[in-house]
Amino acid sequence: MITRAEAAYLGAVRAFQNPMLDLLHKRHAPLVVSLLSVLFTAERPTVPVADAHTEVGDALDQLRAAGHEDGLPVGSARDLCRQWADAGWLVRQVLDDDVEVYRLSAHAVGALEVAGRAGGARARVSQSRVRTLLDAVGRLAHDADPDVLVRMARLDAEIRRLQDELARLQRTGTVEPVDDEELLEQAENVVHLVRELPADFARVAESIKAMQRDVVSALRQDERPTGEILREYLARGEHVMESTVEGRAFSGALRLIGDPQRLDEIADQLDVVLRHRFAQRLPAAQRAELSEVVRRIEQGLDQVFTAQREASYVITGQVRHHDPLRDRQVDELLREVMTGLQTWLPDARRGQAVDPLRRLPVAEVEHLRQTAGDLRPPQAPAALPDWADDEPDVSTDEARAWGGPHYAELDAHLAAHADESGTADVARAFNAAPDALRRPVDLLGLLEIAHQRGMTETDELAFVDAVRPDGSRRRFAFGAVTTTTKDPAHE
């Protein structure tokens, strides 16, 4: 039977196997933390691989020149970055423009967050932190309690409290000031919460990528026919956000912060905070963190959405373009080739002849098409109608009725409907025109004349009824405009 001490020890061993604690436990942990924090910033979440190697090498040279040779590991900057990637602290990926970059893993983000908290001001047990805890507990109890009467009583109490506060404000017209010390405590609590966001977003993105790898691996190893697994894996690909615990939690949080209007409200509220006099007592680093809250949220959302799109694309493409049975046959063939090479190479001599493959294996085909498709259409196209030369031609008036705008008549009609200042309403003038000038094309001509003369748009919506030459009607709507009937070229 395992004792409490042994169980605690085994739990600690498992915890230190986590890459985040492993980073902080290493001999060169201060160097890794410092270089990663300099290399990656909120404005620079990804770094090209070549640039990362160069910058890490420059930083190592600067540290050696400053006399810190004993505390530095042996190896080049490229070797260090590869070691960090193998340890799970860096992630290599290829962007859309075929540029290979490094980005911090969720474990590295968490390690930098822990190191930053330990090296900076510690979070204090304050009124703000206790209120955050009490609010969270109250919300949890409120959402978990199914008693209707209890919930109604809580809502009534909250309404009465808000009504009393509103009545006091209406009666006194003043807002009770809050002590600067309490405001500082609240600001520190907000900063503490904000520092946890990058690691949370990174964990969600990596959980989605891990799910993607699991699905693709399972798809390639699945022994069922493609038809049976198609629907299952496509569903997981389309609903990738609900496939992980972190993804489901993120979906709930997204309902609170995913609205752009909500983010604008947060930005406005933080602007009010930073303009308050107590904000001048905050360290410059904390003021910068408060001002960057919205941008950090937007960067985190973009990181998660990018991982979601890539996972859906990879899973869907794998299902559509790969046959698990065929892939498994190819894998077995490659393994047989590797086994044959391993058997042949130890006894092979340089220049030894290799027996060629004189006959290819016969493909196992269940059924071949026996007849070619008939390229002839099922029936001949209908014959063209005969053209009689003695039929009467279309008259000039009929052809012009279906032609372009009557610019001269429209210009004269627009001038006739102008007021004393020479201003005419286009919609009113069009509706007052005779049927010959109320074709749809004449409306375009009238707007073209108005544009040339200089037109003014209004906030109203205008409606006109156009008449085609065959008598059919059509109703148009557009933003009402007025124009002058004076030619600007003669002014």
Side-chain angles (χ1 to χ4, degrees):
M1 183 176 179
I2 299 178
T3 63
R4 292 180 58 187
E6 184 181 1
Y9 173 75
L10 294 177
V13 170
R14 287 192 299 269
F16 274 87
Q17 292 174 352
N18 183 288
M20 184 184 75
L21 291 181
D22 185 50
L23 188 157
L24 299 175
H25 187 63
K26 291 292 185 181
R27 173 189 172 190
H28 300 293
L31 174 69
V32 179
V33 170
S34 60
L35 292 182
L36 292 182
S37 61
V38 171
L39 194 61
F40 298 92
T41 62
E43 297 79 14
R44 196 189 188 196
T46 60
V47 180
V49 170
D51 294 348
H53 295 165
T54 301
E55 294 181 26
V56 171
D58 293 342
L60 291 174
D61 293 339
Q62 295 173 11
L63 292 175
R64 291 190 181 100
H68 301 287
E69 179 72 29
D70 296 337
L72 301 181
V74 178
S76 64
R78 183 191 302 270
D79 295 335
L80 287 180
C81 291
R82 288 179 177 175
Q83 292 174 11
W84 298 344
D86 294 339
W89 306 332
L90 289 180
V91 178
R92 296 180 69 153
Q93 65 182 70
V94 179
L95 302 181
D96 295 337
D97 51 0
D98 294 333
V99 176
E100 190 174 18
V101 299
Y102 284 125
R103 66 174 177 82
L104 290 176
S105 68
H107 304 296
V109 174
L112 295 183
E113 173 194 342
V114 172
R117 286 204 307 264
R122 295 181 177 273
R124 296 171 294 176
V125 178
S126 61
Q127 180 181 0
S128 177
R129 292 179 60 79
V130 173
R131 185 187 298 119
T132 302
L133 173 62
L134 295 180
D135 290 343
V137 173
R139 172 57 60 183
L140 176 62
H142 180 270
D143 293 339
D145 192 350
D147 194 322
V148 177
L149 296 178
V150 172
R151 180 163 299 191
M152 291 173 59
R154 290 174 179 171
L155 292 176
D156 288 338
E158 182 68 15
I159 291 172
R160 286 194 299 271
R161 186 185 66 80
L162 295 176
Q163 287 177 342
D164 294 341
E165 176 66 13
L166 177 60
R168 189 192 64 78
L169 291 175
Q170 292 173 344
R171 182 176 64 258
T172 62
T174 59
V175 177
E176 293 183 356
V178 180
D179 185 72
D180 286 355
E181 289 296 331
E182 184 176 346
L183 293 177
L184 285 172
E185 292 176 358
Q186 295 182 21
E188 291 175 356
N189 187 34
V190 171
V191 170
H192 173 74
L193 296 175
V194 168
R195 287 173 178 170
E196 299 177 356
L197 287 179
D200 293 339
F201 283 123
R203 277 190 288 270
V204 175
E206 291 193 2
S207 69
I208 294 175
K209 290 183 178 295
M211 188 277 301
Q212 165 199 322
R213 291 191 295 269
D214 293 342
V215 170
V216 173
S217 176
L219 179 61
R220 289 175 177 174
Q221 299 173 3
D222 206 319
E223 298 182 356
R224 294 174 295 169
T226 304
E228 296 182 11
I229 61 177
L230 179 62
R231 181 177 302 175
E232 173 185 345
Y233 287 105
L234 277 179
R236 290 192 68 178
E238 293 175 357
H239 303 90
V240 62
M241 192 62 76
E242 287 76 25
S243 300
T244 63
V245 176
E246 293 85 354
R248 289 190 293 271
F250 172 79
S251 299
L254 184 61
R255 289 191 287 269
L256 298 177
I257 61 175
D259 186 5
Q261 183 177 357
R262 179 59 176 162
L263 293 179
D264 292 340
E265 293 177 359
I266 296 175
D268 295 339
Q269 292 167 353
L270 291 173
D271 183 62
V272 172
V273 171
L274 293 174
R275 285 190 285 107
H276 197 279
R277 65 177 184 273
F278 89 91
Q280 301 302 320
R281 298 174 54 185
L282 288 171
Q286 292 187 359
R287 290 200 302 271
E289 288 185 83
L290 287 176
S291 63
E292 296 292 327
V293 168
V294 174
R295 195 157 63 86
R296 283 195 175 188
I297 294 176
E298 291 174 344
Q299 289 178 345
L301 293 176
D302 182 68
Q303 180 182 2
V304 174
F305 292 150
T306 300
Q308 182 185 14
R309 287 192 300 269
E310 291 178 353
S312 299
Y313 176 79
V314 170
I315 294 174
T316 304
Q318 178 71 25
V319 172
R320 288 178 177 174
H321 303 297
H322 294 271
D323 185 350
L325 297 179
R326 182 191 61 192
D327 293 346
R328 190 164 58 254
Q329 291 175 353
V330 172
D331 292 339
E332 293 175 356
L333 177 61
L334 291 176
R335 281 195 295 270
E336 291 177 1
V337 171
M338 295 301 297
T339 302
L341 287 175
Q342 292 173 357
T343 304
W344 176 77
L345 280 176
D347 300 331
R349 298 185 305 274
R350 184 175 182 180
Q352 178 181 353
V354 179
D355 294 333
L357 181 65
R358 302 184 181 277
R359 182 179 179 182
L360 294 175
V362 179
E364 298 179 0
V365 181
E366 296 182 357
H367 180 71
L368 288 176
R369 190 180 184 91
Q370 298 177 354
T371 59
D374 190 357
L375 300 180
R376 295 173 299 179
Q379 60 184 7
L384 296 175
D386 296 332
W387 181 268
D389 295 335
D390 56 351
E391 290 185 0
D393 295 333
V394 178
S395 65
T396 304
D397 294 339
E398 291 177 345
R400 190 162 185 240
W402 290 97
H406 303 307
Y407 290 107
E409 293 87 343
L410 291 172
D411 196 6
H413 177 72
L414 190 64
H417 283 77
D419 55 17
E420 298 177 355
S421 62
T423 302
D425 183 274
V426 174
R428 189 178 296 108
F430 182 81
N431 285 327
D435 290 351
L437 295 179
R438 288 174 56 197
R439 302 172 303 158
V441 71
D442 289 323
L443 177 60
L444 296 178
L446 204 58
L447 291 172
E448 183 179 354
I449 294 174
H451 177 72
Q452 294 174 353
R453 300 291 177 122
M455 62 183 184
T456 303
E457 299 181 3
T458 65
D459 296 334
E460 298 180 359
L461 191 64
F463 297 91
V464 295
D465 293 317
V467 182
R468 295 190 179 93
D470 59 1
S472 60
R473 294 176 175 270
R474 185 171 181 182
R475 191 173 179 85
F476 293 95
F478 59 94
V481 295
T482 61
T483 184
T484 178
T485 56
K486 298 178 181 180
D487 191 348
H490 297 290
E491 292 182 354

